[in-house]
Amino acid sequence: MGAGVIGLSIAHELTVAGHRVRILAAQNALSSVSAAAAALWFPHDVARSAQVLNSAQVTHQRLQQLASRSDTGVRMRQGTVLMRRADTDTSWTCAVPQYEWLDASQLPADLVPGTGVSGVRCTVPVASTDVYLRWLHAAVLALGVRMRTTEVWDLRKVLDQENPDALVVAAGIRSAALLADDDETYPIRGQVVRLANPGLIEWVIDNDNPGGLTYVVPREHDVVCGGTGDRGSWDEQVDSQVEQAILRRALALVPALVGQPVLSRAVGLRPARTSVRVEAVAGYDRPVFACYGHGGAGFTLSWGDATRIAGLIGPA
């Protein structure tokens, strides 16, 4: 259930393990929240447990391998996570092969972070979402995965009508309603604006910017500027005032973007949860598994959690 980056990754790993896989989804990957993401490897808006960090590390390794291929849309890019608080959580650094601590004097000269700011500099995967999701979709089809576009409201009807040996719920924000045993899931509204890329290759994240969450992620043909983190909001409409505030913060942080035209804009609802849910779900007449609640870290955890689901189900 689900054809976003998580669902497609799971389908890939289960097929490689020898299973025959069918995907049911209300929309394809390019219409899902995955398509709105900046797709920078970073465990954003997700509780960082040992399990999450392990999945992040597995995904980093897989995406690094895919970055060697020109058709995947994945590239390894260097960048900086700015830190404005002494208690900033840096546990994610254990999942990257190399990183460097920077004090204020070592921050890149073209950043304008303000005073009292330090940072972590590292190289991580960045995916151009349209290219990557098309590649991943084509890859699972080539493996023999079948896909059907359909709205699903009742998992028991799916079990009766589709007669699967096992079912995996990876439907993002809708997963909790489908399973009906979860009151821990909620949306986090993210809004981004995409600018033409003047030649930037380095990304920057400024989670604690006084004006609000700020990130600038250059990709092949655009630069994703964000963002927002509106917890509990189901609003999927672009807000022009919010967009102007995002641009003010992004351009102050990276002045090289001044004057670049807007290419597109998007809003997505990150499927957040008190903790990522990757487990068997009781109460059904055959195996049902959950894989959702990734917040803003769907790309970051995708291959790791797909591997975990494949391990729970076992080989064919």
Side-chain angles (χ1 to χ4, degrees):
M1 300 287 307
V5 69
I6 299 294
L8 290 175
S9 301
I10 292 170
H12 187 284
E13 296 303 272
L14 288 176
T15 308
V16 169
H19 296 279
R20 290 180 296 120
V21 177
R22 180 164 62 252
I23 295 176
L24 304 182
Q27 55 191 359
N28 63 34
L30 291 175
S31 300
S32 71
V33 68
S34 297
L40 168 77
W41 182 99
F42 187 76
H44 178 65
D45 273 343
V46 65
R48 296 176 190 169
S49 64
Q51 174 178 293
V52 163
L53 294 175
N54 177 261
S55 283
Q57 185 176 40
V58 169
T59 304
H60 188 290
Q61 294 168 351
R62 180 70 70 88
L63 290 175
Q64 187 169 15
Q65 294 170 358
L66 291 174
S68 66
R69 298 180 48 172
S70 61
D71 60 336
T72 63
V74 181
R75 301 291 180 266
M76 300 301 294
R77 300 293 193 206
Q78 194 171 61
T80 305
V81 179
L82 299 177
M83 296 185 294
R84 297 175 182 269
R85 303 192 334 260
D87 63 345
T88 298
D89 181 359
T90 58
S91 60
W92 59 271
T93 55
C94 71
V96 296
Q98 292 182 314
Y99 58 90
E100 178 185 7
W101 298 100
L102 304 176
D103 61 31
S105 67
Q106 297 171 301
L107 290 172
D110 58 347
L111 294 184
V112 187
T115 59
V117 181
S118 58
V120 178
R121 188 170 174 80
C122 58
T123 299
V124 301
V126 177
S128 293
T129 46
D130 55 343
V131 179
Y132 180 69
L133 291 173
R134 284 193 182 97
W135 172 83
L136 185 54
H137 181 270
V140 300
L141 291 183
L143 288 170
V145 173
R146 291 181 291 161
M147 303 186 71
R148 182 155 65 88
T149 302
T150 182
E151 288 275 1
V152 173
W153 305 102
D154 187 333
L155 289 190
R156 296 187 192 280
K157 286 186 178 179
V158 172
L159 292 170
D160 290 341
Q161 294 171 1
E162 301 291 333
N163 194 31
D165 297 309
L167 185 148
V168 181
V169 179
I173 195 64
R174 288 196 62 227
S175 299
L178 288 170
L179 288 166
D181 69 341
D182 181 1
D183 58 2
E184 301 177 38
T185 300
Y186 56 94
I188 299 180
R189 179 184 180 277
Q191 181 169 328
V192 299
V193 54
R194 304 181 185 105
L195 303 181
N197 191 341
L200 299 176
I201 58 173
E202 294 211 7
W203 51 268
V204 59
I205 298 174
D206 190 4
N207 282 328
D208 297 311
N209 187 297
L213 168 65
T214 305
Y215 51 88
V216 174
V217 182
R219 305 191 300 189
E220 291 292 288
H221 304 296
D222 63 9
V223 180
V224 181
C225 300
T228 60
D230 306 323
R231 293 173 180 264
S233 174
W234 290 90
D235 182 6
E236 295 185 77
Q237 300 302 310
V238 172
D239 186 313
S240 60
Q241 292 185 332
V242 170
E243 178 176 301
Q244 290 306 309
I246 290 171
L247 287 172
R248 283 194 296 271
R249 297 196 303 273
L251 270 56
L253 196 64
V254 185
L257 289 172
V258 173
Q260 295 302 312
V262 173
L263 300 181
S264 63
R265 44 184 62 86
V267 171
L269 302 181
R270 303 178 186 120
R273 197 172 181 274
T274 51
S275 62
V276 177
R277 188 179 191 187
V278 183
E279 63 183 8
V281 182
Y284 297 90
D285 63 359
R286 70 199 77 188
V288 172
F289 300 87
C291 189
Y292 65 93
H294 296 88
F299 279 88
T300 304
L301 304 179
S302 56
W303 289 110
D305 280 356
T307 300
R308 292 182 57 220
I309 287 290
L312 289 173
I313 292 177

